[in-house]
Amino acid sequence: MRFEQIAVLDWSAAGAPKRGKDSIWLGVTNSDGTRTANIPTRVEAEETLKTLFDRPTLIGIDFAFAPPRGLTERITGTHAPRALWAWLADRVSDGARNQTNYRDAAAEMNRRFSDDGPFWGNGLKAEIPDLPRKKPPLPKGLVEHRATDRIVQRDGFSPKPIWQLAGAGAVGAQSLTGMPMLHRLRAGGAAVWPFDPVGPVTVAEVYPSMLGHVIADQIGITDEIQVRLLSQALWSLNTAGGLDALLAQGDPVEGTILGQGSSDRLVQALRIE
């Protein structure tokens, strides 16, 4: 199918409203061009995404939509990631000023295992029982990375494991604050790929760093550059019919990064655009 607009959201787990570097940025590209916005809170970002539901839209968001196999079943009794999204939506609060308790949810999941972890990285001064500050061995049956992460690694990129909640590039905190939003967006009518078939409004996981040196060559705030260029690259593929191949197959248990193994196609699409 053809979308009428492509949106890319750079998510953030910041604990207070924030703008600029390492905050939430949204890029939207359609036939009229590209616009970007810097959104200070997750609550506002979620409401902004809902305003895009009035026309066929692909929304790419840059956090892990699901953990490696094993965790979801341990926590929910089923392999379906949507059950984990619902579980987190019941537990993770997110206030109007970005105050959130995702670390408590991580600690609760850790208590389901006899060993330390799998989640680690408490960035607060106060200790949180069952959330270690340093990386422990993974519990038996869990692995560091999903299959889609390993595919992206083979292209020379370095996605972080979902288990890491603090530190440079950590995606875990973003995922634990983001997956509850997936639950709500899906309830509002969005399809979340590849767990749902592609629909008029489809949300997909993206990894903007796959644009590599193209981003590095730009001047400005990296987060803004990433959402602007990736939305343009995906729009170029969309208008040429090239998105169908990227959306043709995905892992409905661990999730799939849109464009995995095809960073060269994204870069080429951007050059064409």
Side-chain angles (χ1 to χ4, degrees), residues 53-107:
F53 282 26
D54 62 345
R55 56 198 292 196
T57 303
L58 174 67
I59 302 171
I61 311 180
D62 74 332
F63 57 78
F65 283 12
R69 281 172 168 77
L71 179 81
T72 299
E73 184 178 20
R74 175 65 69 95
I75 302 302
T76 69
T78 173
H79 291 294
R82 65 178 65 94
L84 182 61
W85 305 341
W87 187 92
L88 288 167
D90 285 341
R91 289 163 175 80
V92 175
S93 61
D94 225 333
R97 295 194 59 78
N98 265 1
Q99 61 271 45
T100 176
N101 65 340
Y102 72 85
R103 297 178 184 86
D104 296 326

Side-chain angles (χ1 to χ4, degrees), residues 67-150:
R69 281 172 168 77
L71 179 81
T72 299
E73 184 178 20
R74 175 65 69 95
I75 302 302
T76 69
T78 173
H79 291 294
R82 65 178 65 94
L84 182 61
W85 305 341
W87 187 92
L88 288 167
D90 285 341
R91 289 163 175 80
V92 175
S93 61
D94 225 333
R97 295 194 59 78
N98 265 1
Q99 61 271 45
T100 176
N101 65 340
Y102 72 85
R103 297 178 184 86
D104 296 326
E108 183 177 347
M109 286 188 280
N110 280 350
R111 287 193 287 273
R112 301 292 183 93
F113 297 86
S114 59
D115 304 317
D116 290 336
F119 292 98
W120 63 277
N122 174 17
L124 300 179
K125 291 183 179 179
E127 294 293 331
I128 297 177
D130 302 307
L131 183 61
R133 293 186 182 275
K134 295 183 179 180
K135 181 180 179 180
L138 275 173
K140 184 178 180 181
L142 298 182
V143 297
E144 192 82 350
H145 291 282
R146 303 170 297 166
T148 190
D149 299 319
R150 294 192 294 271

Side-chain angles (χ1 to χ4, degrees), residues 184-216:
R184 294 186 290 269
L185 293 179
R186 190 171 183 271
V192 182
W193 178 87
F195 315 100
D196 300 314
V198 173
V201 177
T202 296
V203 181
E205 180 181 342
V206 294
Y207 185 64
S209 294
M210 286 197 298
L211 290 178
H213 69 276
V214 178
I215 293 173

